[in-house]
Amino acid sequence: MKRNKRQRISDEQVSLLLLSGGKGKRAALEYPKQFFAIAGHPMIAYSLIAARKVPDVDEIVVNAPEGYEEQTAEILAAYVPGIPTKIVQSGETRQESVRLLCDAASHDTVIVHEAARPMIKRTWFRDLLKHPAANVGYCAPISFSMCSVDHNTGRITGAVPRESTLNVQLPQKFNLATLRAGHKKAVAENTEFTEDAALCQTMLGADVFFIEGETSNIKVTNPEDFHVVKLLVEDRAKKGRKWNRQ
């Protein structure tokens, strides 16, 4: 598979940090969900197909669950043969997995993505790289109502305004030194985060900006999510928009 011949967006070298350490428990699978086949490709392949189309991606660093290192290496060789790759172990938590990816990254600019978001387009990577901010990610408006609760009493304690609340999505772009420093402080303070924009802002007070995302950017977590993604892929295929052309 050849790489896209488009010109680079900048002279900065970029590492793609691809979270792929999940074990598929919530998805009710007997194997990690990133290897689940969607329209003939393992789920992880859709992120690799998009990355292959972006000349600025100079390196891909990916987690592999224990026992799946060889399978991960085979997929990398098949889908991104022209890009240097590294495989690192998965952490016990998402946060630890990102930290391990950071430790292995070679370049000052990194893009964090996850194999569980197969609806990725190359334009999302490119728009992050075009953005002037060092730290920026996708966020989408929330269409449903939310509330805060007290789990101990079972009471609703207040409304959460949608106007100032967004759904955090990936991919995200970071300055590697900033991301590493945020993770180092989070470890020192024994604080756990489920994504890295809030981690960097909370731990360091770093400026992190957002680009409005798309509702199609689904994170596959639960069994029903697989059916939704399959339908979306099939719909694009009917419209003649094959994934490897995104």
Side-chain angles (χ1 to χ4, degrees), residues 14-185:
V14 178
S15 295
L16 172 62
L17 310 185
L18 185 58
L19 283 157
S20 182
K23 298 180 180 179
K25 292 181 179 179
R26 283 185 291 174
L29 295 175
E30 296 180 354
Y31 55 89
K33 62 185 176 183
Q34 55 268 39
F35 303 117
F36 181 85
I38 300 174
H41 300 287
M43 188 186 301
I44 186 176
Y46 289 93
S47 297
L48 301 175
I49 290 169
R52 191 187 71 231
K53 297 293 185 178
V54 181
D56 296 79
V57 175
D58 300 285
E59 171 187 66
I60 298 175
V61 188
V62 58
N63 301 113
E66 185 177 358
Y68 289 89
E69 296 86 355
E70 184 176 349
Q71 187 172 351
T72 301
E74 290 173 354
I75 291 172
L76 290 171
Y79 285 93
V80 287
I83 305 177
T85 60
K86 296 177 184 176
I87 297 174
V88 302
Q89 69 184 75
S90 303
E92 291 298 321
T93 63
R94 181 197 186 278
Q95 184 167 304
E96 185 181 9
S97 290
V98 175
R99 181 175 58 79
L100 292 169
L101 292 173
C102 287
D103 290 344
S106 303
H107 305 305
D108 292 338
T109 298
V110 297
I111 293 177
V112 179
H113 193 53
E114 51 197 351
R117 290 184 183 269
M119 306 302 292
I120 182 68
K121 301 175 185 177
R122 70 182 178 197
T123 52
W124 296 352
F125 288 149
R126 291 179 63 85
D127 288 346
L128 286 178
L129 294 170
K130 289 176 183 177
H131 198 285
N135 309 303
V136 58
Y138 286 93
C139 293
I142 294 174
S143 59
F144 48 84
S145 298
M146 297 173 293
C147 63
S148 58
V149 301
D150 185 329
H151 286 283
N152 294 322
T153 64
R155 289 191 177 93
I156 293 175
T157 58
V160 177
R162 288 186 297 193
E163 297 78 17
S164 59
T165 305
L166 294 174
N167 175 19
V168 177
Q169 298 180 328
L170 271 64
Q172 298 169 330
K173 179 184 74 171
F174 295 99
N175 170 267
L176 178 59
T178 300
L179 188 56
R180 280 177 171 167
H183 275 268
K184 183 178 180 179
K185 189 171 182 182

Side-chain angles (χ1 to χ4, degrees), residues 207-234:
D207 286 331
V208 185
F209 296 85
F210 75 91
I211 299 172
E212 186 165 322
E214 299 182 17
T215 56
S216 63
N217 188 3
I218 298 169
K219 181 178 179 180
V220 177
T221 304
N222 301 307
E224 58 269 23
D225 298 333
F226 292 93
H227 299 294
V228 174
V229 168
K230 277 189 172 183
L231 289 172
L232 288 171
V233 171
E234 290 170 359

